[in-house]
Each structure stands twice: as structure tokens, then as C-alpha cells.
Amino acid sequence: MRPKIYIFGDSITQESFADGGWGASLAHHFSRAVDVVLRGYSGYNTRWALKVLDKVFPVAGGGDAPLAITVFFGANDACLPDRCSAFQHVPLHEYRQNLHSIISIFKKRWPETQILLISPPPIDEDARLKFPYVENPMGMPERTNEAAGAYAEACVSVAAECGIPVVDLWTKMQRFPDWEKACLSDGLHLTQTGNKIVFEEVIMKLRDVGLSLESLPVDQPLIGDIDPSNPLKSFEN
Amino acid sequence: MRPKIYIFGDSITQESFADGGWGASLAHHFSRAVDVVLRGYSGYNTRWALKVLDKVFPVAGGGDAPLAITVFFGANDACLPDRCSAFQHVPLHEYRQNLHSIISIFKKRWPETQILLISPPPIDEDARLKFPYVENPMGMPERTNEAAGAYAEACVSVAAECGIPVVDLWTKMQRFPDWEKACLSDGLHLTQTGNKIVFEEVIMKLRDVGLSLESLPVDQPLIGDIDPSNPLKSFEN
């Protein structure tokens, strides 16, 4: 049976199978080699992620260890504590600690599984005012780019402390011309361009740890390898 | 753990996680309820599908039964036996028998699992000459719409014989204005419009047998159901 890559995160993961989404692109890329399994929970922060983790992943011994797990939280943790989405806020020190806990639960359960952290994306504050998710009587953005940057920096440093790879999406995305509109649809969620950046970064980081189409076995003979004069030979054994 | 829907078929299934693909749309639609598992094998016919079936699906007792399996073969079986893709051809009577075998293997293994047949799509013969997959010295299309129609009709009648639902894609798609170019990218594979038709038909047939977002449990509390004044209450138990 095929190995699995789980993608665990908030709405940016949950929505990643929409048109041009990075999760679907990952599943397409690995279409004959890996099952990409969606574990995205819109609105969730790392505190809530820890509450559901045991229910949404197999227990130890419950089948093969995943090849890899992407852990992509922080956009909700970084909601400001005194603005309209405060109930999703998680303090920075707890966010760091929660990421450590998530990583160590996975590492304990599946020591060989590659964990890949993804930092929250940058925030376009103007767009966050234009596309509110909840009532916003203060008229101030519930997320700021500066706060997202602090959580991204924490995410990157947790990865370094744990010796695991990380996509610093906050930094990468801001190098893209007109990133606010090109990469983000509502100041937080990803456009197709934003999704492409995530997909390409994830593929590259997986390749760096030895997980690529070249290194993974193909599930069943490829049509190009089947001998037209004796097709059934490919299916012997 | 979430229930699974397997999608089993040829290239039209394998490529269904590309941008706008019907498999990705299905995964997106069920993003909080079902794992959509890709089992697409480009170029395969029902004869080869039977050769790999035991290797690419769990054995009986190997975890929970899938909710549903889509079986979407016939486009390769219907290659003409005297044209350039003859090695993929499977005679019509054997195609019927192979579909019966696939269904009965699944039904024996998982009596409660819904099997949904999908017929091959119509063929645009002009486009098949413009976009050859192999050398075509005869200059005749390797697939014809008439042949695809005969396999589609067989698929529909097998479904009736087995008492299972079927998407008659060959018929449905030809009702679409300018279907040759609107629904097919190379006379066989699907455009985004073609993919949308498959997605909508599959969703409708699944709904008919009781599998819909309304009937399936949601994996973990939805953000809209979490009490902002006491979020952790949603995660008790």
C-alpha cells in the first residue's frame, strides 16, 4: 500500500484542495506514489490542534508510519488579543510550546516520519478590513503583518531547535511582487499564486529530506513501461 | 478516524487532482468529513485493473470498509483493436465481465460499501488525431465516439444488473453545447468544464445513496460552532 503524507493545519490547509490549492497540487504531484491526507481545521490554533490531534491521526501501531506530516498553524494563534478575533489568539510563548508538543507527539509516535513546519503567511491588513470574518465594530484589523511575523519567527526557531525543516512562508511570500494582492485573496487566505508558492516550497523541502518522485516507488507499472507486445508481463508476480 | 472514498480508474482518475479536477473537487467538498483516496492508473483497462486490484486496495479486515468506491474504466478498453493503441483494447464482452468481477470483489470484501460506476466519456475524433499519444502511421483515430458509446452502454447495463448507481458520462457530456472542445482537452481527457460535470454527477449519485455533507459526521468542531467565550468547551470529551 502507498505511504501517506498528512497535511495538518488551519483553513489554509483545509482549503488546499480548492482549484489550484497546494494540497491538491501535492496529491497530483505524487499521484502514483503517495496518498496525501487532508487534516485541515478552519479557524484552529495550536491549542485546539493539540486537543484534536489524538482523534484525527492514527495511534502508534495503527498501520505504517506516515512518510511526512506538514504542520501549518499560526495564522489564528497570531490574532491580536484585543481585537475582534481574540478568542482564537494564543500567546506567542504558548504557540512555541504547542509547536514543540505537536512535534514531540509525532516524533514519539513515528520516529522516522519527516515533520515539516510551515509558518503563517504575511497579512495584508487593508484586505483584512475589507473582508471581515466576524463583526468588527472597532474597525481595526484582527491580524497584523507584524504579529504574523513574530509567530513566523517563532515557528522558524522551533524548527531549528527540533532540527526539522521549515517553510518560512511569511518571509518567502513578501519577496513576491505585489504579494498583498497577488498571493492573498482576503489578506490571509491564498490565491492560486500563493498556493503555488506553498506547493513549490513544500516539494523542495520534502526533496531536501529525500522524499521526491525519483526516490519513491511507483504504485504499479507505468503505461510507458508496459510492453505493447506483451502487456500482461508487467503484471506478473 | 474519517471514512474513505476511493476513486479507482485510468488517467481520467489519475489526473483528477490537477487544477479544477474532479477528484480534488471531491476532496474539497468533503474536506471535513471524508478522505478521498486516489487510485488512478493512466492507460489502464479493466483487464489490468483486475491484475492490480488486490495490491492497491486494503484486504478485508484491514481497517474500516470504504464508504464508497468510484470505478471509472472503459476509455482504454474501447481503443480499437486494429489501430495504433490496440494493446490497450479489451473486447466488449470481456469489459462487461471485468466490470462484474471488479464489483463482485469489492462487494464480497465490503458488502456495505457503495460502488459507483462511471462510463467512459465521449470521444472527439478530430482532436484524437491532433494529439496522438503514440505513433499513428495509419492516420486514423485510435478511439472513436461510437466505440466509446458501446462501452458506456455496457457499463450502464452492468450497473443495472448489479443494482448499483452509474454516471453515464458518455450521454451526459454530449448534451453540453460544443462538448468536443468545452469538455475535452485532447478528445479524451477532461477540461475544467468536463471535470465539473464528473464532480457534479458523482456528488449527486453519492447523495442519492445517502452519502452527503448533511448525512456524514463532521471531523471535529466547526469554527462556527465554537463558543467564542469558552472555546475549549467544544473540545471536552
Side-chain angles (χ1 to χ4, degrees), chain A residues 2-139:
Chain A
R2 296 187 190 192
K4 292 184 176 69
I5 294 176
Y6 283 86
I7 61 173
F8 186 38
D10 53 32
S11 55
I12 304 174
T13 298
Q14 179 177 321
E15 294 172 13
S16 72
F17 282 74
D19 281 6
W22 68 274
S25 298
L26 204 61
H28 183 54
H29 180 79
F30 286 120
S31 63
R32 285 292 287 277
V34 174
D35 288 335
V36 176
V37 187
L38 179 55
R39 289 292 178 271
Y41 299 90
S42 191
Y44 279 37
N45 54 36
T46 53
R47 192 186 288 163
W48 306 347
L50 275 168
K51 293 286 178 194
V52 303
L53 192 154
D54 275 339
K55 296 178 207 162
V56 305
F57 283 89
V59 293
D64 293 332
L67 275 187
I69 305 171
T70 62
V71 176
F72 189 175
F73 287 101
N76 298 312
D77 301 63
C79 286
L80 299 186
D82 55 357
R83 303 248 173 114
C84 63
S85 291
F87 78 110
Q88 290 166 284
H89 170 75
V90 169
L92 190 57
H93 63 91
E94 184 189 335
Y95 171 69
R96 287 181 56 93
Q97 186 50 53
N98 290 345
L99 284 183
H100 271 287
S101 298
I102 291 168
I103 295 162
S104 72
I105 290 168
F106 286 141
K107 279 287 168 197
K108 192 173 169 193
R109 194 170 298 183
W110 299 302
E112 304 303 319
T113 297
Q114 294 288 346
I115 317 288
L116 170 58
L117 288 187
I118 307 174
S119 87
I123 296 294
D124 173 21
E125 293 163 30
D126 290 344
R128 289 305 317 118
L129 289 176
K130 275 187 206 131
F131 305 101
Y133 306 138
V134 293
E135 265 193 84
N136 185 5
M138 295 170 75

Side-chain angles (χ1 to χ4, degrees), chain A residues 14 35 39 41 44 219 221, chain B residues 32 35 39 41 44 219 221:
Chain A
Q14 179 177 321
D35 288 335
R39 289 292 178 271
Y41 299 90
Y44 279 37
D219 178 24
Chain B
R32 285 292 287 277
D35 288 336
R39 290 291 179 271
Y41 300 89
Y44 279 37
D219 178 23

Side-chain angles (χ1 to χ4, degrees), chain A residues 1-2 4 6 14-21 24-25 27-28 31-32 35-44 47-48 51-52 55-58 87-88 192 219-223 226-229 231-232 235-237, chain B residues 1-2 4 6 14-21 24-25 27-28 31-32 35-44 47-48 51-52 55-58 87-88 192 219-223 226-229 231-232 235-237:
Chain A
M1 300 299 295
R2 296 187 190 192
K4 292 184 176 69
Y6 283 86
Q14 179 177 321
E15 294 172 13
S16 72
F17 282 74
D19 281 6
S25 298
H28 183 54
S31 63
R32 285 292 287 277
D35 288 335
V36 176
V37 187
L38 179 55
R39 289 292 178 271
Y41 299 90
S42 191
Y44 279 37
R47 192 186 288 163
W48 306 347
K51 293 286 178 194
V52 303
K55 296 178 207 162
V56 305
F57 283 89
F87 78 110
Q88 290 166 284
Q192 293 209 0
D219 178 24
Q220 307 310 314
L222 294 172
I223 182 71
I226 293 174
D227 179 359
S229 67
L232 290 181
F235 300 99
E236 286 170 8
N237 319 313
Chain B
M1 298 297 294
R2 295 186 191 193
K4 291 184 178 66
Y6 283 86
Q14 180 177 319
E15 293 173 12
S16 71
F17 282 73
D19 280 7
S25 298
H28 183 54
S31 63
R32 285 292 287 277
D35 288 336
V36 176
V37 187
L38 178 57
R39 290 291 179 271
Y41 300 89
S42 190
Y44 279 37
R47 191 186 290 163
W48 306 348
K51 294 286 178 194
V52 302
K55 298 178 205 160
V56 306
F57 283 89
F87 78 109
Q88 291 166 284
Q192 294 207 358
D219 178 23
Q220 307 309 315
L222 294 172
I223 183 71
I226 292 175
D227 179 358
S229 67
L232 290 181
F235 300 99
E236 285 169 9
N237 319 315

